[in-house]
Amino acid sequence: QDVQNYGGFILHVGVVSGEGELRRGQTVKSEVDYANRRRIAPNHTMTHVLNLALRNELGDNVDQKGSLCDSDKLRFDFSHGKAMTAKQLASVEKQVQDVIEKALKVETKVLPLAVASEIPGLRAVFGETYPDPVRVVSVGGDLDALSSGAGGVSNEDHMDVSTEFCGGTHLSNSKEAEAFVIAEETAVAKGIRRIVALTGEPA
């Protein structure tokens, strides 16, 4: 059902069906559910793009406070002191949809943590501990140029490019998300808002 990394150990989470049982020392065969993975990928990639769009719309004080991406939807929690207006929500939705329509390449690259941390515009979750080396995902960015400092790339030049540390599954091109729509925006705690959104056919 799930795979998680805890303390350097890879944990496989599942349920024994029927009358079977698990015992220490048994060999278990695991398989990737690629059909489910393909449904999750657009929600995950557009979560990154949504993070960027929210910062563009509400300011750099917006920080990610949590997220969930499954085969049905994406959910993104972020710091913001009040409900977003209908105009702000429409603007954010349009920014994400524009990225989809631009058919931007989604690049991934594993880099030394010190090098990756210097990429202009890169966002990381505050308080999160990242491995070294770390995997970087960029929607619309040239990670070779960004990680080498080529071309004098600045934070200002990189404002419209989503770049984050991430080990999850992603699209290869933003157009594969097909569509994006915000389903709801609510409060989950004081100063924390939540957006639930859909991609693809459900959108």
Side-chain angles (χ1 to χ4, degrees), residues 54-82:
L54 285 168
R55 285 186 281 118
N56 289 343
E57 183 66 29
L58 303 177
D60 287 337
N61 61 311
V62 171
D63 285 314
Q64 179 177 340
K65 295 299 181 181
S67 68
L68 170 71
C69 299
D70 59 28
S71 58
D72 299 318
K73 65 185 181 304
L74 66 90
R75 191 180 75 199
F76 188 78
D77 297 347
F78 59 100
S79 57
H80 189 57
K82 57 185 178 180

Side-chain angles (χ1 to χ4, degrees), residues 125-160:
V125 178
F126 180 77
E128 187 79 14
T129 300
Y130 293 98
D132 190 3
V134 66
R135 183 170 179 255
V136 182
V137 177
S138 184
V139 182
D142 182 342
L143 285 176
D144 287 332
L146 291 170
S147 60
S148 66
V153 180
S154 68
N155 281 294
E156 290 74 19
D157 297 329
H158 205 52
M159 281 300 293
D160 60 347

Side-chain angles (χ1 to χ4, degrees), residues 14-78:
V15 176
V16 177
S17 60
E19 298 180 356
E21 63 179 30
L22 281 178
R23 294 179 181 177
R24 181 180 296 178
Q26 282 184 323
T27 299
V28 177
K29 180 181 179 181
S30 59
E31 296 180 345
V32 176
D33 186 343
Y34 287 104
N36 190 54
R37 190 183 179 108
R38 283 192 294 271
R39 292 190 294 268
I40 294 172
N43 289 331
H44 194 173
T45 301
M46 290 306 108
T47 297
H48 285 219
V49 178
L50 173 62
N51 189 7
L52 173 67
L54 285 168
R55 285 186 281 118
N56 289 343
E57 183 66 29
L58 303 177
D60 287 337
N61 61 311
V62 171
D63 285 314
Q64 179 177 340
K65 295 299 181 181
S67 68
L68 170 71
C69 299
D70 59 28
S71 58
D72 299 318
K73 65 185 181 304
L74 66 90
R75 191 180 75 199
F76 188 78
D77 297 347
F78 59 100

Side-chain angles (χ1 to χ4, degrees), residues 77-158:
D77 297 347
F78 59 100
S79 57
H80 189 57
K82 57 185 178 180
M84 294 178 63
T85 66
K87 183 178 180 181
Q88 289 172 329
L89 288 169
S91 174
V92 167
E93 190 173 271
K94 185 179 184 303
Q95 288 181 56
V96 178
Q97 187 62 42
D98 285 348
V99 168
I100 294 172
E101 293 173 2
K102 287 177 182 177
L104 300 178
K105 183 179 179 181
V106 180
E107 289 194 4
T108 65
K109 191 177 181 70
V110 177
L111 295 166
L113 183 58
V115 173
S117 297
E118 295 299 317
I119 292 177
L122 181 134
R123 294 289 288 190
V125 178
F126 180 77
E128 187 79 14
T129 300
Y130 293 98
D132 190 3
V134 66
R135 183 170 179 255
V136 182
V137 177
S138 184
V139 182
D142 182 342
L143 285 176
D144 287 332
L146 291 170
S147 60
S148 66
V153 180
S154 68
N155 281 294
E156 290 74 19
D157 297 329
H158 205 52

